[in-house]
Each structure stands twice: as C-alpha cells, then as structure tokens.
Amino acid sequence: MVDFFILFFIKASIVLSIMHLSGIKDISKFAMHYIVEEIDEDTSMEDLQKMMIVALIYRLLVCFYEIICIWGAGGATPGKFLLGLRVVTCDTSVLIAPNRVLVIPSSNVSLTTSTIRALIKNFSIASFFPAFITLLFFQHNRTAYDIVAGTIVVRRNGVR
C-alpha cells in the first residue's frame, strides 16, 4: 500500500502535468465529452495514443522506482522495507527448516538484475498477465520474474 500511494501521487502529478501541457484544462469537461458525446474515429485514435503514451511513461516510472529501490536502497521499496522484506540474488534456494530457506549466494542485487526484474514484473502486469500468481507454482514462493532475474524476496536480518 505504501508503494501504491507513493506511485499514485507520482502518477497523478505526471498525468496532470501532461494534461496541462497538452491543453486539457477541465478534466470533467474532457470526461463528459468522451462519455456522453459521440466522437469520430480520428479523435478517438489520437486520444488513445495519448493515453498509451501516458501509460507507457507511468510503467517506465514504476520500473525506475523499483530499480532504484531494489538496487540502490538496500534491496527494498519503502513498502517492502516497512514489512521487513528485501530482494536478494538467488541462484539456489534450499529448505532447511519450516519457514527457513538457505539462499545462495544471497547478495545485494546488481543494477542489471534489478532492471531485468523490474521490466519483466511491470510489463507482464501491464499486459494483464498476473505475474505474482506464479508464486503459487514455484518453490519458496518465487515469482516467474524472480526466477528469470535470479532473485528472491526474503526477510531482512533481525526482523521477525
């Protein structure tokens, strides 16, 4: 939820800035125009293109946010940090006790790994593939994007 609200305010700022720069002054009038009135094919395609550009910019922003947090801020977004979680590298994971997994090599995530993980995660979510559901099928609750990137989400040391 913490990450959602941070990103929501960033997205709202970007959307409002883009609307302002593109000359849309009144969002309610803009919405009513497209909900109530008929629009021609050219107008709808132009608006669809603008919305796709906004969606792409937002998706890239989310990727950048996750890349910076996972790579540069100790392996965790603010939400993961508050939950006592972090992302580390993982070539192998072995169950050593109930709810205890040995992760090898368990080091900080590199910029490249963080980028791969963020891009796969966010663009699979954007294309309506619920990537997080794959955690139900892989060992130790890893998602498909964690396996491809060679990462795993673990509890931080000292957090119970």
Side-chain angles (χ1 to χ4, degrees):
M1 291 298 291
V2 171
D3 296 328
F4 170 80
F5 282 115
I6 290 170
L7 289 167
F8 174 79
F9 286 114
I10 292 171
K11 181 179 183 179
S13 299
I14 289 173
V15 169
L16 291 173
S17 297
I18 290 172
M19 287 177 58
H20 177 71
L21 292 173
S22 64
I24 300 168
K25 301 293 183 205
D26 185 0
I27 192 164
S28 61
K29 190 184 289 184
F30 175 77
M32 287 303 291
H33 175 73
Y34 291 105
I35 292 171
V36 177
E37 297 176 22
E38 259 186 59
I39 54 175
D40 60 48
E41 187 176 299
D42 292 333
T43 304
S44 64
M45 286 305 291
E46 287 174 15
D47 292 332
L48 180 60
Q49 289 172 344
K50 287 179 186 176
M51 291 184 337
M52 292 298 290
I53 290 170
V54 170
L56 178 62
I57 290 170
Y58 176 67
R59 200 47 51 202
L60 290 171
L61 180 72
V62 171
C63 286
F64 183 72
Y65 172 83
E66 289 189 9
I67 290 165
I68 295 303
C69 290
I70 302 300
W71 168 66
T77 61
K80 280 184 179 63
F81 181 82
L82 290 173
L83 290 173
L85 303 173
R86 71 184 286 233
V87 179
V88 296
T89 59
C90 176
D91 291 337
T92 306
S93 58
V94 180
L95 186 65
I96 56 175
N99 296 325
R100 302 285 283 172
V101 175
L102 175 65
V103 178
I104 302 169
S106 186
S107 60
N108 290 334
V109 177
S110 70
L111 177 60
T112 303
T113 301
S114 181
T115 302
I116 291 168
R117 183 180 189 275
L119 288 172
I120 293 170
K121 176 183 176 184
N122 286 290
F123 283 97
S124 65
I125 289 170
S127 62
F128 302 109
F129 175 70
F132 60 88
I133 290 186
T134 59
L135 68 88
L136 300 172
F137 305 106
F138 293 113
Q139 193 176 32
H140 311 301
N141 297 331
R142 291 175 77 190
T143 59
Y145 53 84
D146 278 321
I147 291 172
V148 171
T151 60
I152 191 169
V153 179
V154 298
R155 286 185 198 233
R156 287 192 324 263
N157 289 337
V159 177
R160 294 272 174 200

